[in-house]
């Protein structure tokens, strides 16, 4: 199994930066793509950024402002995925979720964190 725990959310002013982290525990060789999703108030969940085999992708709304990265522990039992968010604006206000897609023995499984709130307001 895989457990995901997000951290780093909070209240910031427009133009400021924030770093979100997702700590994944379990057998990392059973995890393929990892991603950040967000759900703004009253809207559906949307993909923000993803990373797999070192390849990163971003939604148009965050391209150039957000950076996704991932580190895997040498024993393969833990991984930390970060989302560095810069030049935040009120439209970035949302509940941010960490996602991991299973491969190998966990193929087809989807894993989600509990979410961390990001609020951008003056």
């Amino acid at each position: 199994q895989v457990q995901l725990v997000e951290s780093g959310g909070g209240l910031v002013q427009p133009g400021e930066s924030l770093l979100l982290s997702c700590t994944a525990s379990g057998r990392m060789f059973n995890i393929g793509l990892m991603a950040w999703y967000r759900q703004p108030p009253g809207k559906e969940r949307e993909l923000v950024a993803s990373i797999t085999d070192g390849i990163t992708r971003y939604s148009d709304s965050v391209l150039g402002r957000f950076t996704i990265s991932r580190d895997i522990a040498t024993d393969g039992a833990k991984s930390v995925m970060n989302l560095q968010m810069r030049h935040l604006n009120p439209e970035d206000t949302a509940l941010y979720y960490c996602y991991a897609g299973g491969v190998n023995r966990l193929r087809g499984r989807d894993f989600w964190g509990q979410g961390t709130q990001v609020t951008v307001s003056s």
Side-chain angles (χ1 to χ4, degrees):
Q1 295 297 322
V2 174
Q3 291 79 41
L4 304 175
V5 178
E6 302 101 332
S7 61
L11 172 63
V12 296
Q13 294 188 348
E16 293 186 339
S17 300
L18 202 60
L19 175 67
L20 301 184
S21 294
C22 171
T23 300
S25 57
R27 293 298 183 184
M28 292 301 104
F29 59 77
N30 287 323
I31 289 297
L33 180 143
M34 292 191 71
W36 286 98
Y37 283 76
R38 68 185 182 187
Q39 187 166 14
K43 297 184 179 180
E44 295 186 352
R45 191 176 298 188
E46 61 185 14
L47 177 64
V48 175
S50 66
I51 184 167
T52 179
D53 295 329
I55 298 172
T56 59
R57 292 184 173 87
Y58 300 91
S59 68
D60 290 342
S61 62
V62 306
L63 184 63
R65 298 188 299 123
F66 291 10
T67 302
I68 189 171
S69 62
R70 179 186 177 190
D71 293 315
I72 302 175
T74 53
D75 63 358
K78 183 179 177 181
S79 178
V80 177
M81 178 178 66
N82 292 323
L83 185 68
Q84 178 65 60
M85 304 185 294
R86 298 181 176 87
H87 305 297
L88 287 162
N89 58 63
E91 289 69 39
D92 296 315
T93 294
L95 189 59
Y96 284 70
Y97 294 93
C98 175
Y99 165 85
V103 295
N104 300 324
R105 291 189 176 185
L106 298 180
R107 185 178 183 85
R109 295 279 303 275
D110 297 320
F111 299 93
W112 294 92
Q114 80 287 353
T116 185
Q117 179 67 40
V118 173
T119 302
V120 184
S121 176
S122 56

